[in-house]
Amino acid sequence: MTDAATRPLDAVLLAGGRATRLDGASKPEQTVGERTLLDLAIDAARRAGARSIVVVGPSSLHAPGCLVVREDPPFGGPVAAIAAGLAVLAAPRRSRSEASRDQRTPHDPDADADVLVLACDLPQATAAVERLLDGRGQHDTADGVCLVDADGRTQWLTAIYARAALDRAFAVLDRGPDGAAMRHLFDGLDRTEIADDGTAEDVDTWADLDRARERADIRSSESLRTDPRSTP
């Protein structure tokens, strides 16, 4: 296995949930600091050096330079969404439309690659991914690294996993990916948990969104005060 510094990285961004606590609004398209949550996730993946970025969600999402695919069935849950993303990544010689229909996670010849799995509800997506990259560099032989919040909750969808480990996990999943629980997919993996330092705080409710916007405004104001170029 190659070390984390030279290992190829792809990304699967999850953007297809129901957002019931946002009254069904499109969560990835909500803005924080004048950017959508989807834009923040895409930017974080690009800064991390991802070669290919797959966005799993409605085809109407604006994701320039990314592949957009829908899990089957829609709203099938995060495991189904990851399977859909992996199927596209694993199909470099097949048509993208065929790959979007075949979500059985076929073998990927690029077996040493890592996959960034990221939910599109993180106002601090870039900082979260930076913590993941640091952790992966320190634990490059593990099956993956994921963040854990201050309450000890594992953030399965803020993680970097070895592609080969994901293939193994899906191969032994005792049911189809539709509606499967994340712990059933990942419990057998040798993963390392990294403290999130607040970076994995997500947006689930309107109150969460308001807080994220307030914090973004504060950071923007502080940046202007400390930037000498902003002084006349």
Side-chain angles (χ1 to χ4, degrees), residues 6 22 56 62 91 142 150 176:
T6 59
L22 283 178
V56 185
H62 183 64

Side-chain angles (χ1 to χ4, degrees), residues 30-204:
Q30 300 305 308
T31 58
V32 174
E34 300 184 353
R35 302 188 67 192
T36 68
L37 292 171
L38 176 57
D39 286 340
L40 293 172
I42 292 172
D43 185 60
R46 287 184 173 144
R47 287 172 178 265
R51 306 172 303 174
S52 298
I53 303 174
V54 179
V55 176
V56 185
S59 59
S60 59
L61 290 174
H62 183 64
C66 304
L67 308 175
V68 180
V69 64
R70 195 61 159 135
E71 72 273 25
D72 184 19
F75 307 115
V79 175
I82 293 170
L86 294 180
V88 174
L89 291 176
R93 284 182 285 274
R94 297 184 300 158
S95 72
R96 292 175 185 174
S97 60
E98 179 187 353
S100 69
R101 292 193 299 271
D102 181 5
Q103 297 178 8
R104 296 170 296 175
T105 318
H107 173 69
D108 186 349
D110 196 356
D112 282 335
D114 274 346
V115 179
L116 168 67
V117 174
L118 196 65
C120 293
D121 59 1
L122 300 175
Q124 299 184 72
T126 294
V129 172
E130 287 174 352
R131 293 189 72 81
L132 287 172
L133 291 172
D134 288 344
R136 188 57 167 153
Q138 298 173 41
H139 304 279
D140 63 342
T141 61
D143 288 335
V145 295
C146 58
L147 296 189
V148 58
D149 67 19
D151 294 323
R153 292 187 293 258
T154 301
Q155 304 301 304
W156 305 105
L157 304 182
T158 311
I160 294 175
Y161 301 104
R163 176 57 200 263
L166 289 175
D167 286 343
R168 292 198 310 272
F170 273 103
V172 300
L173 191 65
D174 59 3
R175 51 165 295 170
D178 177 25
M182 296 294 295
R183 66 180 182 278
H184 291 159
L185 179 65
F186 292 128
D187 262 357
L189 297 187
D190 172 26
R191 66 184 188 279
T192 299
E193 295 185 342
I194 309 295
D196 75 336
D197 195 27
T199 62
E201 187 171 344
D202 58 6
V203 170
D204 282 330

